[in-house]
Amino acid sequence: RARASTASARRTRGATSRSDDRAVAVVRETRAMLAAMSPELRPGEYVFCTVPANVADAYHALDPLGWFCEAEGVSLILERGAAVSAGLEASAPMRCITLAVHSALDGVGLTAAVATALAARGIPANVVAAFHHDHVFVPSSAAADAVAALRAVQTSAQSARHP
């Protein structure tokens, strides 16, 4: 089960422009999710690391953005500097694009459309679905192109809604 620390949760909320006090409707329909996704590039670089499950709790101090328990160990998503400071072996540096739409966990098509648009430009994508938003991790060098691709998908979906 994925978990995030309180500080990480605050950073995620801060990545969107909506107020925490406003109730936001969950969007379920594919075209509506795409039209409202509003991709936002978060500051900083992130890496994926893995640590043995029996010592994973020792890494809370690194303030992981997310973690996921797998059979081989615990995968951590960390700010690049935190991983380097801890001496952890890590993936290539990535940037995080938050899709600001409050997409339904049972919504169909958002991840497929995002992956298809990025694949068409040769951009690898690692999508993390959280309760409120989806977060797309792309190589740092491709971040600007990835945001442009996702904004094009959004614009196309908005045009389809309003002929």
Side-chain angles (χ1 to χ4, degrees):
R1 176 158 203 200
R3 297 192 290 184
S5 71
T6 303
S8 295
R10 280 193 301 272
R11 283 196 309 271
T12 299
R13 283 195 306 272
T16 65
S17 58
R18 65 184 168 82
S19 167
D20 292 325
D21 298 333
R22 256 188 300 162
V24 176
V26 176
V27 181
R28 186 166 278 105
E29 192 271 324
T30 303
R31 192 175 327 145
M33 285 189 291
L34 296 173
M37 68 178 173
S38 300
E40 299 173 0
L41 185 62
R42 293 174 60 132
E45 286 186 309
Y46 297 89
V47 293
F48 286 71
C49 306
T50 187
V51 297
N54 63 334
V55 297
D57 285 341
Y59 292 93
H60 277 287
L62 297 178
D63 196 23
L65 181 61
W67 66 355
F68 195 88
C69 299
E70 300 181 280
E72 300 85 355
V74 176
S75 291
L76 302 172
I77 304 170
L78 297 169
E79 290 180 354
R80 183 180 185 192
V84 169
S85 293
L88 293 172
E89 191 172 321
S91 68
M94 305 188 105
R95 297 290 305 273
C96 179
I97 302 167
T98 295
L99 305 181
V101 64
H102 186 168
S103 55
L105 288 170
D106 61 350
V108 176
L110 178 62
T111 302
V114 166
T116 298
L118 296 177
R121 294 191 187 202
I123 301 172
N126 294 282
V127 180
V128 175
F131 188 82
H132 293 108
H133 307 285
D134 291 88
H135 309 275
V136 185
F137 292 86
V138 299
S140 293
S141 61
D145 194 28
V147 170
L150 297 178
R151 287 186 177 146
V153 170
Q154 180 179 9
T155 299
S156 177
Q158 289 169 341
S159 297
R161 278 179 51 194
H162 305 289

